[in-house]
Amino acid sequence: MNRIAFTLEALQQEIAKTCAKGKIFQENVRLIAVSKRQSVEKIVKLVHQGQTDFAENQLQEALEKISQLTDFSIKWHFIGAIQSRKCKLISENFNWVQSIDREKLIPKLNDARPEHLEPLNACIQINFFNEPQKAGTTPKEAHRLAELIAEAPNLKLRGIMALPPRTDCFHTQKNNFEEISNFYQQLKTSYPSMDTLSMGMSGDFEVAILSGSNMIRVGTSLFGTREDAIHG
């Protein structure tokens, strides 16, 4: 427990330093703990330290964890590839879905959202640089998806989620992040409800924040490697 608590505290300090450097309010940057392939016990330890947002990308694994953690006020984010047949379970069990990348998912998610729950927070996943190995829609198609989500009564359009190419070159990395951030700002002018740019992970969250991201998805820096998770 101490290792995770220290890691969470250290991460929060790094986020604070980055925000200070960019003259950004730290409260405006939302930390999402990516808990895929991590134990329920590790999630609980982070919850006790004040972490509230957790993300999963495998539906069955996520549903098992959600069912065991109903006593905690956790906001669950789905960040994995969405199969049409899984839309109902995603819509029923998550607070956020960040990986909408095609039109046909939108009515399925909307229609499955239970009436007693608030609208499902929705982000469009964009493959901004058209990388063949990555999921996500094109920037052009994102405009159409945003329009459809905004019209769906049981969904709330919150923003976009992106995973830029990996690179060891800081300037290339920053340029990539800034291109996505500029696109987000342009899209936001048409859809004022958008308030979320989900971009940045363990290895690059600092430059992501400085480029305009206000939601970072961090796993390794909080939990250790996934190999550690599997073996203890």
Side-chain angles (χ1 to χ4, degrees):
M1 178 173 180
N2 289 337
R3 183 176 70 85
I4 291 179
F6 173 79
T7 305
L8 177 59
E9 181 182 5
L11 177 58
Q12 289 168 334
Q13 290 173 352
E14 288 303 311
I15 293 170
K17 288 180 193 175
T18 303
C19 289
K21 188 185 301 183
K23 298 182 180 178
I24 300 162
F25 289 112
Q26 184 181 355
E27 312 86 71
N28 293 341
V29 177
R30 191 166 184 171
L31 171 62
I32 312 300
V34 179
S35 49
K36 61 183 181 183
R37 294 176 66 189
Q38 303 293 346
S39 68
V40 166
E41 291 74 21
K42 287 185 176 182
I43 294 173
V44 169
K45 289 173 183 177
L46 282 178
V47 170
H48 286 319
Q49 295 300 320
Q51 180 62 29
T52 58
D53 289 88
F54 291 83
E56 294 281 337
N57 71 343
Q58 296 294 329
L59 182 58
Q60 196 54 49
E61 176 189 346
L63 293 176
E64 292 173 7
K65 292 175 182 176
I66 291 170
S67 69
Q68 295 178 61
L69 294 166
T70 54
D71 290 341
F72 299 95
S73 297
I74 293 174
K75 293 192 182 300
W76 292 100
H77 299 242
F78 190 78
I79 60 172
I82 304 174
Q83 297 171 297
S84 294
R85 61 187 175 85
K86 295 182 178 180
C87 284
K88 185 174 188 294
L89 287 170
I90 291 170
S91 196
E92 289 174 344
N93 289 280
F94 287 81
N95 305 95
W96 287 70
V97 56
Q98 296 200 29
S99 45
I100 297 175
D101 62 358
R102 56 199 188 281
E103 190 172 318
K104 70 176 184 178
L105 301 175
I106 295 168
K108 293 179 182 295
L109 290 165
N110 178 75
D111 294 347
R113 187 66 171 173
E115 291 183 4
H116 69 278
L117 295 178
E118 294 180 349
L120 179 63
N121 296 295
C123 289
I124 300 163
Q125 182 173 354
I126 297 182
N127 186 348
F128 196 85
F129 297 96
N130 196 30
E131 296 176 89
Q133 76 278 20
K134 290 181 181 176
T137 191
T138 64
K140 182 178 179 181
E141 182 62 19
H143 287 272
R144 174 61 177 159
L145 298 186
E147 180 183 1
L148 294 172
I149 294 170
E151 293 172 351
N154 300 320
L155 303 179
K156 183 175 182 180
L157 177 63
R158 296 299 296 268
I160 66 172
M161 186 261 272
L163 182 66
R166 289 190 178 186
T167 174
D168 293 328
C169 175
F170 174 81
H171 293 293
T172 300
Q173 185 183 56
K174 195 165 194 309
N175 287 339
N176 289 343
F177 278 120
E178 287 178 347
E179 277 194 62
I180 296 170
S181 183
N182 289 338
F183 174 79
Y184 163 73
Q185 292 297 337
Q186 292 167 10
L187 192 61
K188 182 177 167 61
T189 61
S190 300
Y191 300 97
S193 72
M194 288 179 50
D195 60 5
T196 300
L197 175 54
S198 178
M199 182 174 72
M201 301 190 297
S202 288
D204 56 19
F205 68 83
E206 295 97 337
V207 66
I209 291 170
L210 293 174
S211 301
S213 174
N214 58 11
M215 179 180 281
I216 58 174
R217 310 181 305 275
V218 177
T220 305
S221 293
L222 286 172
F223 292 103
T225 63
R226 287 197 286 276
E227 286 73 22
D228 289 342
I230 295 169
H231 298 300

